[in-house]
Amino acid sequence: MTFISCYLSAFSSDNNKIHYLRNTPFNPDAVTLIFLHGFPESSYAWDAYLPHFAKLGFNVLAPDLRGNLLSNGFKTLDDFDIHLLTEDVRLLIAKYEAKKVVIIGHDLGGAVAWQLAESYPCLSKALILLNSPHPGAYSRLFRSTPWLTIRQTLRFWYLYVFQLRSIPEYLMLKGDS
């Protein structure tokens, strides 16, 4: 089974270019598995899994979510809106006219999967989520258990750092040396 690197481009209102991996040949009648990576990963986080599921007869698609690896970045925080990330995945599904879709999401990819299921309930037949609780349950838990909010906030420190101007870029470049 071989994989090819593809681009889905100029398809959204913001003309973002999304890179993804897919198996070839692509069988339109097979179940399509879409693997959505977490932060700060890319489609290559799923390297060990893609050939396995392709050999079992599934179609596999693994996009680089916008702003990651080979997909276009974004100019403002508005470009990273969960609805735009979801729309990128919806349009990838539409491109292949996939009728039987299972979304596998980790971390950030899980949040996109939850939003996709909420916005387009008929688009996928199942979600498989790793490290990504249901947003409603997560929200209720934080409201009912204040000490958990502090604990989780400390665990998600990196999300707050990435909202600071210029610091994330500096830290990322420093890590390359």
Side-chain angles (χ1 to χ4, degrees):
M1 189 66 52
T2 58
F3 287 84
I4 59 173
S5 179
C6 305
Y7 283 96
L8 186 62
S9 59
F11 62 86
S12 62
S13 59
D14 62 352
N15 291 321
N16 200 23
K17 185 166 77 170
I18 300 298
H19 171 262
Y20 62 98
L21 301 172
R22 79 165 174 89
N23 63 305
T24 181
F26 196 88
N27 177 357
D29 297 321
V31 172
T32 300
L33 305 178
I34 299 181
F35 292 84
L36 303 176
H37 63 81
F39 176 83
E41 301 170 317
S42 70
S43 57
Y44 295 102
W46 302 104
D47 270 357
Y49 304 96
L50 303 180
H52 172 76
F53 287 105
K55 284 179 189 167
L56 292 175
F58 294 99
N59 293 318
V60 295
L61 298 170
D64 290 332
L65 297 175
R66 60 175 57 217
N68 290 278
L69 196 62
L70 298 175
S71 288
N72 275 6
F74 44 89
K75 296 175 182 68
T76 70
L77 286 178
D78 291 340
D79 297 334
F80 198 61
D81 183 84
I82 190 74
H83 296 95
L84 290 175
L85 291 162
T86 303
E87 185 66 5
D88 294 342
V89 177
R90 186 195 69 77
L91 290 166
L92 183 61
I93 293 168
K95 176 180 175 61
Y96 288 97
E97 299 177 359
K99 299 190 184 17
K100 296 175 269 183
V101 176
V102 175
I103 309 287
I104 297 117
H106 169 252
D107 188 48
L108 171 62
V112 173
W114 279 120
Q115 185 63 46
L116 186 76
E118 182 179 309
S119 300
Y120 306 100
C122 296
L123 204 54
S124 60
K125 64 187 258 183
L127 298 178
I128 299 170
L129 302 166
L130 305 114
N131 194 28
S132 189
H134 185 277
Y138 198 62
S139 186
R140 276 191 308 278
L141 183 62
F142 275 103
R143 283 194 305 274
S144 67
T145 317
W147 66 268
L148 187 62
T149 303
I150 295 165
R151 190 170 146 213
Q152 284 303 108
T153 298
L154 292 173
R155 287 184 175 172
F156 292 141
W157 64 269
Y158 64 92
L159 296 176
Y160 300 105
V161 169
F162 279 96
Q163 294 178 39
L164 301 172
R165 188 175 302 280
S166 303
I167 293 174
E169 291 82 1
Y170 170 78
L171 292 173
M172 292 293 206
L173 290 172
K174 189 158 180 61
D176 282 346
S177 54

